[in-house]
Amino acid sequence: MATSKTLLSNLSSLLCNGIISLEEHSRMKKRIIKAEAKKAEAQVVAALVPELQAFMVADTQYKISDLVQGVMGISAPCHGYKETKEEQKHRDGVAKPRILGALEILGASKYGSGAQTRYSFGEAAPEFEVNAEAEEESAES
């Protein structure tokens, strides 16, 4: 497959020779650049998988903020860190999606929703099911 540099060069040649319009050139150039950025992001996410595997203990549930802190070293307000708007934007827009992508590659399980979401791999049982069983046992006694 041709490299992005080659594709962009050929695209410019087509524009200079009048074969395609400027609009078509711009649209195709954006597609090439976007595909290249997506590929680079996938490589970054894939590189996080071994670090995430090393950090996570099987059968243990983790909050996303704990995984981001443990793997990437980025603390959140729930860890007692006062972050700036720019740091929050980076954590929410870059770090969390990368960790979520790595979790997806790992095949991690997801329990709960919203702020209560927990992630694990292995045979970790959801906390709310364990509590429900304990309540049933105490009710029978």
Side-chain angles (χ1 to χ4, degrees), residues 79-95:
H79 299 119
Y81 178 71
K82 177 76 171 138
E83 65 186 0
T84 65
K85 284 285 185 191
E86 195 61 37
E87 289 172 324
Q88 179 186 10
K89 186 176 177 183
H90 175 73
R91 182 176 49 84
D92 291 342
V94 178

Side-chain angles (χ1 to χ4, degrees), residues 4 9 63 71:
S4 296
S9 175
K63 296 188 305 183
V71 175

Side-chain angles (χ1 to χ4, degrees), residues 49-78:
V49 172
E51 294 177 44
L52 190 60
Q53 257 180 328
F55 177 76
M56 291 179 79
V57 176
D59 301 335
T60 303
Q61 294 184 358
Y62 296 91
K63 296 188 305 183
I64 188 71
S65 58
D66 294 337
L67 295 173
V68 169
Q69 183 185 32
V71 175
M72 301 176 88
I74 300 173
S75 295
C78 64

Side-chain angles (χ1 to χ4, degrees), residues 85-118:
K85 284 285 185 191
E86 195 61 37
E87 289 172 324
Q88 179 186 10
K89 186 176 177 183
H90 175 73
R91 182 176 49 84
D92 291 342
V94 178
K96 282 183 183 179
R98 285 180 178 171
I99 292 293
L100 291 172
L103 285 167
E104 189 174 306
I105 291 170
L106 264 178
S109 300
K110 178 181 173 181
Y111 304 101
S113 63
Q116 304 305 316
T117 306
R118 302 290 186 265

Side-chain angles (χ1 to χ4, degrees), residues 1-56:
M1 182 167 184
T3 64
S4 296
K5 187 174 182 179
T6 304
L7 290 172
L8 291 173
S9 175
N10 291 343
L11 199 58
S12 294
S13 295
L14 291 171
L15 177 65
C16 290
N17 292 326
I19 298 171
I20 62 173
S21 68
L22 182 59
E23 287 178 10
E24 291 171 318
H25 176 271
S26 297
R27 189 180 67 237
M28 288 183 221
K29 183 177 176 181
K30 283 181 187 178
R31 283 184 184 172
I32 293 168
I33 292 170
K34 190 174 182 178
E36 189 175 274
K38 193 173 185 178
K39 183 179 175 183
E41 183 66 20
Q43 289 174 339
V44 170
V45 169
L48 285 174
V49 172
E51 294 177 44
L52 190 60
Q53 257 180 328
F55 177 76
M56 291 179 79

